[in-house]
mmCIF file of all heavy atoms in Angstrom:
data_model
loop_
_atom_site.group_PDB
_atom_site.id
_atom_site.type_symbol
_atom_site.label_atom_id
_atom_site.label_comp_id
_atom_site.label_asym_id
_atom_site.label_seq_id
_atom_site.Cartn_x
_atom_site.Cartn_y
_atom_site.Cartn_z
ATOM 1 N N ASP T 1 -20.694 -54.117 55.644
ATOM 2 C CA ASP T 1 -21.561 -53.516 54.633
ATOM 3 C C ASP T 1 -22.577 -54.520 54.107
ATOM 4 O O ASP T 1 -23.746 -54.191 53.895
ATOM 5 C CB ASP T 1 -20.729 -52.960 53.474
ATOM 6 C CG ASP T 1 -19.896 -51.764 53.883
ATOM 7 O OD1 ASP T 1 -20.228 -51.126 54.907
ATOM 8 O OD2 ASP T 1 -18.905 -51.470 53.184
ATOM 9 N N ARG T 2 -22.149 -55.760 53.895
ATOM 10 C CA ARG T 2 -23.063 -56.802 53.421
ATOM 11 C C ARG T 2 -24.149 -57.069 54.452
ATOM 12 O O ARG T 2 -25.325 -57.233 54.104
ATOM 13 C CB ARG T 2 -22.284 -58.083 53.125
ATOM 14 C CG ARG T 2 -23.148 -59.172 52.528
ATOM 15 C CD ARG T 2 -22.363 -60.406 52.240
ATOM 16 N NE ARG T 2 -21.276 -60.112 51.307
ATOM 17 C CZ ARG T 2 -20.269 -60.937 51.069
ATOM 18 N NH1 ARG T 2 -20.202 -62.087 51.703
ATOM 19 N NH2 ARG T 2 -19.335 -60.622 50.211
ATOM 20 N N ASN T 3 -23.772 -57.103 55.735
ATOM 21 C CA ASN T 3 -24.762 -57.323 56.790
ATOM 22 C C ASN T 3 -25.770 -56.185 56.851
ATOM 23 O O ASN T 3 -26.954 -56.408 57.117
ATOM 24 C CB ASN T 3 -24.083 -57.478 58.145
ATOM 25 C CG ASN T 3 -23.453 -58.835 58.311
ATOM 26 O OD1 ASN T 3 -23.743 -59.758 57.570
ATOM 27 N ND2 ASN T 3 -22.574 -58.945 59.280
ATOM 28 N N LYS T 4 -25.318 -54.946 56.619
ATOM 29 C CA LYS T 4 -26.240 -53.807 56.610
ATOM 30 C C LYS T 4 -27.285 -53.963 55.515
ATOM 31 O O LYS T 4 -28.474 -53.703 55.729
ATOM 32 C CB LYS T 4 -25.481 -52.499 56.400
ATOM 33 C CG LYS T 4 -24.776 -51.988 57.611
ATOM 34 C CD LYS T 4 -24.091 -50.670 57.298
ATOM 35 C CE LYS T 4 -23.262 -50.191 58.447
ATOM 36 N NZ LYS T 4 -22.547 -48.945 58.124
ATOM 37 N N LYS T 5 -26.849 -54.373 54.326
ATOM 38 C CA LYS T 5 -27.791 -54.558 53.218
ATOM 39 C C LYS T 5 -28.780 -55.670 53.535
ATOM 40 O O LYS T 5 -29.990 -55.533 53.287
ATOM 41 C CB LYS T 5 -27.035 -54.883 51.933
ATOM 42 C CG LYS T 5 -26.263 -53.721 51.374
ATOM 43 C CD LYS T 5 -25.508 -54.126 50.125
ATOM 44 C CE LYS T 5 -24.637 -52.992 49.626
ATOM 45 N NZ LYS T 5 -23.844 -53.384 48.454
ATOM 46 N N GLN T 6 -28.286 -56.776 54.085
ATOM 47 C CA GLN T 6 -29.178 -57.883 54.425
ATOM 48 C C GLN T 6 -30.149 -57.493 55.535
ATOM 49 O O GLN T 6 -31.316 -57.901 55.518
ATOM 50 C CB GLN T 6 -28.359 -59.104 54.846
ATOM 51 C CG GLN T 6 -27.617 -59.755 53.706
ATOM 52 C CD GLN T 6 -26.731 -60.893 54.175
ATOM 53 O OE1 GLN T 6 -26.453 -61.041 55.361
ATOM 54 N NE2 GLN T 6 -26.287 -61.703 53.234
ATOM 55 N N MET T 7 -29.682 -56.700 56.485
ATOM 56 C CA MET T 7 -30.552 -56.261 57.570
ATOM 57 C C MET T 7 -31.654 -55.340 57.049
ATOM 58 O O MET T 7 -32.810 -55.474 57.433
ATOM 59 C CB MET T 7 -29.734 -55.543 58.643
ATOM 60 C CG MET T 7 -30.534 -55.159 59.858
ATOM 61 S SD MET T 7 -29.566 -54.477 61.209
ATOM 62 C CE MET T 7 -28.658 -53.182 60.418
ATOM 63 N N ARG T 8 -31.298 -54.426 56.152
ATOM 64 C CA ARG T 8 -32.324 -53.553 55.563
ATOM 65 C C ARG T 8 -33.359 -54.363 54.799
ATOM 66 O O ARG T 8 -34.563 -54.106 54.899
ATOM 67 C CB ARG T 8 -31.678 -52.531 54.628
ATOM 68 C CG ARG T 8 -31.185 -51.305 55.347
ATOM 69 C CD ARG T 8 -30.679 -50.322 54.370
ATOM 70 N NE ARG T 8 -29.404 -50.870 53.888
ATOM 71 C CZ ARG T 8 -28.463 -50.190 53.270
ATOM 72 N NH1 ARG T 8 -28.638 -48.946 52.991
ATOM 73 N NH2 ARG T 8 -27.344 -50.760 52.908
ATOM 74 N N PHE T 9 -32.912 -55.362 54.027
ATOM 75 C CA PHE T 9 -33.852 -56.190 53.275
ATOM 76 C C PHE T 9 -34.770 -56.960 54.230
ATOM 77 O O PHE T 9 -35.975 -57.064 53.986
ATOM 78 C CB PHE T 9 -33.101 -57.155 52.359
ATOM 79 C CG PHE T 9 -34.007 -58.011 51.539
ATOM 80 C CD1 PHE T 9 -34.701 -57.474 50.468
ATOM 81 C CD2 PHE T 9 -34.177 -59.342 51.838
ATOM 82 C CE1 PHE T 9 -35.549 -58.263 49.710
ATOM 83 C CE2 PHE T 9 -35.019 -60.139 51.084
ATOM 84 C CZ PHE T 9 -35.710 -59.590 50.020
ATOM 85 N N ALA T 10 -34.199 -57.505 55.308
ATOM 86 C CA ALA T 10 -35.020 -58.233 56.286
ATOM 87 C C ALA T 10 -36.063 -57.318 56.921
ATOM 88 O O ALA T 10 -37.204 -57.732 57.151
ATOM 89 C CB ALA T 10 -34.132 -58.856 57.359
ATOM 90 N N LEU T 11 -35.696 -56.071 57.171
ATOM 91 C CA LEU T 11 -36.660 -55.131 57.744
ATOM 92 C C LEU T 11 -37.741 -54.744 56.741
ATOM 93 O O LEU T 11 -38.909 -54.573 57.118
ATOM 94 C CB LEU T 11 -35.937 -53.892 58.265
ATOM 95 C CG LEU T 11 -35.095 -54.110 59.522
ATOM 96 C CD1 LEU T 11 -34.296 -52.863 59.853
ATOM 97 C CD2 LEU T 11 -35.962 -54.530 60.683
ATOM 98 N N VAL T 12 -37.385 -54.617 55.470
ATOM 99 C CA VAL T 12 -38.395 -54.309 54.448
ATOM 100 C C VAL T 12 -39.374 -55.470 54.312
ATOM 101 O O VAL T 12 -40.600 -55.265 54.257
ATOM 102 C CB VAL T 12 -37.723 -53.979 53.090
ATOM 103 C CG1 VAL T 12 -38.726 -53.972 51.961
ATOM 104 C CG2 VAL T 12 -37.009 -52.648 53.170
ATOM 105 N N VAL T 13 -38.849 -56.689 54.273
ATOM 106 C CA VAL T 13 -39.735 -57.858 54.188
ATOM 107 C C VAL T 13 -40.599 -57.942 55.441
ATOM 108 O O VAL T 13 -41.798 -58.260 55.365
ATOM 109 C CB VAL T 13 -38.908 -59.151 53.979
ATOM 110 C CG1 VAL T 13 -39.765 -60.385 54.118
ATOM 111 C CG2 VAL T 13 -38.236 -59.134 52.620
ATOM 112 N N GLY T 14 -40.031 -57.636 56.603
ATOM 113 C CA GLY T 14 -40.812 -57.612 57.839
ATOM 114 C C GLY T 14 -41.923 -56.576 57.795
ATOM 115 O O GLY T 14 -43.031 -56.817 58.283
ATOM 116 N N ALA T 15 -41.640 -55.418 57.200
ATOM 117 C CA ALA T 15 -42.668 -54.381 57.072
ATOM 118 C C ALA T 15 -43.793 -54.843 56.154
ATOM 119 O O ALA T 15 -44.977 -54.585 56.419
ATOM 120 C CB ALA T 15 -42.052 -53.085 56.558
ATOM 121 N N VAL T 16 -43.440 -55.535 55.072
ATOM 122 C CA VAL T 16 -44.466 -56.057 54.154
ATOM 123 C C VAL T 16 -45.313 -57.105 54.861
ATOM 124 O O VAL T 16 -46.549 -57.110 54.734
ATOM 125 C CB VAL T 16 -43.810 -56.622 52.875
ATOM 126 C CG1 VAL T 16 -44.811 -57.395 52.035
ATOM 127 C CG2 VAL T 16 -43.172 -55.505 52.061
ATOM 128 N N ILE T 17 -44.678 -57.982 55.629
ATOM 129 C CA ILE T 17 -45.432 -59.001 56.367
ATOM 130 C C ILE T 17 -46.333 -58.341 57.410
ATOM 131 O O ILE T 17 -47.489 -58.749 57.590
ATOM 132 C CB ILE T 17 -44.469 -60.016 57.012
ATOM 133 C CG1 ILE T 17 -43.752 -60.829 55.937
ATOM 134 C CG2 ILE T 17 -45.215 -60.954 57.948
ATOM 135 C CD1 ILE T 17 -42.615 -61.683 56.464
ATOM 136 N N ALA T 18 -45.828 -57.309 58.086
ATOM 137 C CA ALA T 18 -46.646 -56.608 59.080
ATOM 138 C C ALA T 18 -47.850 -55.942 58.412
ATOM 139 O O ALA T 18 -48.956 -55.956 58.962
ATOM 140 C CB ALA T 18 -45.802 -55.571 59.816
ATOM 141 N N LEU T 19 -47.635 -55.379 57.234
ATOM 142 C CA LEU T 19 -48.736 -54.770 56.501
ATOM 143 C C LEU T 19 -49.778 -55.818 56.116
ATOM 144 O O LEU T 19 -50.990 -55.586 56.255
ATOM 145 C CB LEU T 19 -48.211 -54.057 55.249
ATOM 146 C CG LEU T 19 -49.248 -53.346 54.398
ATOM 147 C CD1 LEU T 19 -49.819 -52.162 55.167
ATOM 148 C CD2 LEU T 19 -48.623 -52.882 53.104
ATOM 149 N N LEU T 20 -49.322 -56.969 55.635
ATOM 150 C CA LEU T 20 -50.259 -58.047 55.314
ATOM 151 C C LEU T 20 -51.005 -58.528 56.551
ATOM 152 O O LEU T 20 -52.197 -58.819 56.496
ATOM 153 C CB LEU T 20 -49.509 -59.220 54.672
ATOM 154 C CG LEU T 20 -49.020 -59.013 53.253
ATOM 155 C CD1 LEU T 20 -48.138 -60.177 52.835
ATOM 156 C CD2 LEU T 20 -50.195 -58.880 52.305
ATOM 157 N N LEU T 21 -50.293 -58.629 57.665
ATOM 158 C CA LEU T 21 -50.917 -59.058 58.916
ATOM 159 C C LEU T 21 -51.981 -58.063 59.366
ATOM 160 O O LEU T 21 -53.057 -58.442 59.825
ATOM 161 C CB LEU T 21 -49.844 -59.213 60.000
ATOM 162 C CG LEU T 21 -50.264 -59.730 61.353
ATOM 163 C CD1 LEU T 21 -50.835 -61.136 61.236
ATOM 164 C CD2 LEU T 21 -49.085 -59.722 62.298
ATOM 165 N N TRP T 22 -51.715 -56.797 59.195
ATOM 166 C CA TRP T 22 -52.649 -55.756 59.609
ATOM 167 C C TRP T 22 -53.861 -55.700 58.688
ATOM 168 O O TRP T 22 -54.992 -55.479 59.144
ATOM 169 C CB TRP T 22 -51.910 -54.421 59.616
ATOM 170 C CG TRP T 22 -52.757 -53.252 59.988
ATOM 171 C CD1 TRP T 22 -53.488 -53.081 61.124
ATOM 172 C CD2 TRP T 22 -52.956 -52.079 59.210
ATOM 173 N NE1 TRP T 22 -54.127 -51.872 61.108
ATOM 174 C CE2 TRP T 22 -53.807 -51.229 59.939
ATOM 175 C CE3 TRP T 22 -52.475 -51.656 57.981
ATOM 176 C CZ2 TRP T 22 -54.206 -49.999 59.457
ATOM 177 C CZ3 TRP T 22 -52.860 -50.425 57.520
ATOM 178 C CH2 TRP T 22 -53.721 -49.608 58.245
ATOM 179 N N GLN T 23 -53.668 -55.926 57.383
ATOM 180 C CA GLN T 23 -54.738 -55.771 56.406
ATOM 181 C C GLN T 23 -55.550 -57.036 56.150
ATOM 182 O O GLN T 23 -56.594 -56.966 55.517
ATOM 183 C CB GLN T 23 -54.152 -55.293 55.066
ATOM 184 C CG GLN T 23 -53.644 -53.871 55.100
ATOM 185 C CD GLN T 23 -54.777 -52.872 55.248
ATOM 186 O OE1 GLN T 23 -55.853 -53.043 54.691
ATOM 187 N NE2 GLN T 23 -54.526 -51.827 56.016
ATOM 188 N N THR T 24 -55.076 -58.185 56.588
ATOM 189 C CA THR T 24 -55.776 -59.417 56.247
ATOM 190 C C THR T 24 -57.125 -59.513 56.961
ATOM 191 O O THR T 24 -57.273 -59.092 58.105
ATOM 192 C CB THR T 24 -54.916 -60.656 56.553
ATOM 193 O OG1 THR T 24 -55.565 -61.793 56.014
ATOM 194 C CG2 THR T 24 -54.713 -60.861 58.028
ATOM 195 N N VAL T 25 -58.093 -60.054 56.234
ATOM 196 C CA VAL T 25 -59.412 -60.278 56.819
ATOM 197 C C VAL T 25 -59.620 -61.763 57.106
ATOM 198 O O VAL T 25 -60.588 -62.131 57.753
ATOM 199 C CB VAL T 25 -60.538 -59.760 55.888
ATOM 200 C CG1 VAL T 25 -60.484 -58.254 55.803
ATOM 201 C CG2 VAL T 25 -60.469 -60.395 54.521
ATOM 202 N N TRP T 26 -58.719 -62.600 56.619
ATOM 203 C CA TRP T 26 -58.809 -64.035 56.854
ATOM 204 C C TRP T 26 -58.101 -64.376 58.155
ATOM 205 O O TRP T 26 -56.880 -64.202 58.294
ATOM 206 C CB TRP T 26 -58.186 -64.815 55.704
ATOM 207 C CG TRP T 26 -58.886 -64.616 54.401
ATOM 208 C CD1 TRP T 26 -60.222 -64.500 54.185
ATOM 209 C CD2 TRP T 26 -58.271 -64.500 53.125
ATOM 210 N NE1 TRP T 26 -60.480 -64.324 52.862
ATOM 211 C CE2 TRP T 26 -59.301 -64.326 52.170
ATOM 212 C CE3 TRP T 26 -56.957 -64.521 52.672
ATOM 213 C CZ2 TRP T 26 -59.056 -64.186 50.833
ATOM 214 C CZ3 TRP T 26 -56.710 -64.391 51.327
ATOM 215 C CH2 TRP T 26 -57.758 -64.230 50.428
ATOM 216 N N LEU T 27 -58.852 -64.861 59.085
ATOM 217 C CA LEU T 27 -58.293 -65.163 60.402
ATOM 218 C C LEU T 27 -57.280 -66.305 60.356
ATOM 219 O O LEU T 27 -56.382 -66.365 61.189
ATOM 220 C CB LEU T 27 -59.420 -65.501 61.379
ATOM 221 C CG LEU T 27 -60.365 -64.344 61.706
ATOM 222 C CD1 LEU T 27 -61.462 -64.826 62.641
ATOM 223 C CD2 LEU T 27 -59.602 -63.202 62.320
ATOM 224 N N ARG T 28 -57.403 -67.194 59.380
ATOM 225 C CA ARG T 28 -56.479 -68.320 59.293
ATOM 226 C C ARG T 28 -55.076 -67.896 58.885
ATOM 227 O O ARG T 28 -54.123 -68.635 59.095
ATOM 228 C CB ARG T 28 -57.010 -69.342 58.295
ATOM 229 C CG ARG T 28 -58.309 -69.957 58.749
ATOM 230 C CD ARG T 28 -58.661 -71.054 57.842
ATOM 231 N NE ARG T 28 -57.970 -72.233 58.355
ATOM 232 C CZ ARG T 28 -58.496 -73.421 58.418
ATOM 233 N NH1 ARG T 28 -59.701 -73.620 57.960
ATOM 234 N NH2 ARG T 28 -57.821 -74.425 58.910
ATOM 235 N N LEU T 29 -54.939 -66.722 58.279
ATOM 236 C CA LEU T 29 -53.616 -66.253 57.863
ATOM 237 C C LEU T 29 -52.850 -65.531 58.964
ATOM 238 O O LEU T 29 -51.645 -65.354 58.869
ATOM 239 C CB LEU T 29 -53.746 -65.313 56.664
ATOM 240 C CG LEU T 29 -53.928 -65.961 55.308
ATOM 241 C CD1 LEU T 29 -54.043 -64.896 54.236
ATOM 242 C CD2 LEU T 29 -52.774 -66.877 54.995
ATOM 243 N N ARG T 30 -53.539 -65.116 59.986
ATOM 244 C CA ARG T 30 -52.871 -64.311 61.019
ATOM 245 C C ARG T 30 -51.791 -65.067 61.789
ATOM 246 O O ARG T 30 -50.700 -64.530 61.970
ATOM 247 C CB ARG T 30 -53.899 -63.721 61.961
ATOM 248 C CG ARG T 30 -54.681 -62.631 61.251
ATOM 249 C CD ARG T 30 -55.501 -61.824 62.154
ATOM 250 N NE ARG T 30 -56.161 -60.793 61.340
ATOM 251 C CZ ARG T 30 -56.874 -59.848 61.834
ATOM 252 N NH1 ARG T 30 -57.069 -59.781 63.120
ATOM 253 N NH2 ARG T 30 -57.433 -58.960 61.031
ATOM 254 N N PRO T 31 -52.016 -66.290 62.264
ATOM 255 C CA PRO T 31 -50.921 -66.982 62.976
ATOM 256 C C PRO T 31 -49.684 -67.235 62.101
ATOM 257 O O PRO T 31 -48.565 -66.961 62.546
ATOM 258 C CB PRO T 31 -51.564 -68.289 63.451
ATOM 259 C CG PRO T 31 -53.013 -67.996 63.515
ATOM 260 C CD PRO T 31 -53.292 -67.025 62.404
ATOM 261 N N PRO T 32 -49.838 -67.725 60.857
ATOM 262 C CA PRO T 32 -48.625 -67.914 60.043
ATOM 263 C C PRO T 32 -47.905 -66.597 59.737
ATOM 264 O O PRO T 32 -46.670 -66.548 59.728
ATOM 265 C CB PRO T 32 -49.132 -68.554 58.751
ATOM 266 C CG PRO T 32 -50.437 -69.145 59.082
ATOM 267 C CD PRO T 32 -51.004 -68.304 60.183
ATOM 268 N N LEU T 33 -48.662 -65.529 59.502
ATOM 269 C CA LEU T 33 -48.021 -64.240 59.258
ATOM 270 C C LEU T 33 -47.304 -63.727 60.502
ATOM 271 O O LEU T 33 -46.240 -63.120 60.408
ATOM 272 C CB LEU T 33 -49.046 -63.217 58.771
ATOM 273 C CG LEU T 33 -49.523 -63.385 57.332
ATOM 274 C CD1 LEU T 33 -50.658 -62.407 57.035
ATOM 275 C CD2 LEU T 33 -48.393 -63.194 56.352
ATOM 276 N N GLY T 34 -47.868 -63.984 61.662
ATOM 277 C CA GLY T 34 -47.200 -63.608 62.907
ATOM 278 C C GLY T 34 -45.895 -64.372 63.102
ATOM 279 O O GLY T 34 -44.883 -63.805 63.530
#
C-alpha cells in the first residue's frame, strides 16, 4: 500500500514535469526537465 501511494505521487510529479517541459519557451530548461 505504501508503494502504491509513492508510485502515484511519482506519477503526479512526472505529469507536472511533463507539463512544464511541454509549456516551456526557454530552450535551456528543456534538457534538465527531460
Side-chain angles (χ1 to χ4, degrees):
D1 292 340
R2 185 180 301 167
N3 283 344
K4 282 182 186 177
K5 289 178 185 177
Q6 289 176 345
M7 185 174 53
R8 275 185 287 198
F9 181 73
L11 289 173
V12 167
V13 171
V16 169
I17 293 170
L19 181 67
L20 288 172
L21 184 62
W22 178 56
Q23 290 292 323
T24 189
V25 292
W26 297 322
L27 294 178
R28 296 188 86 139
L29 280 180
R30 289 192 178 186
L33 286 173

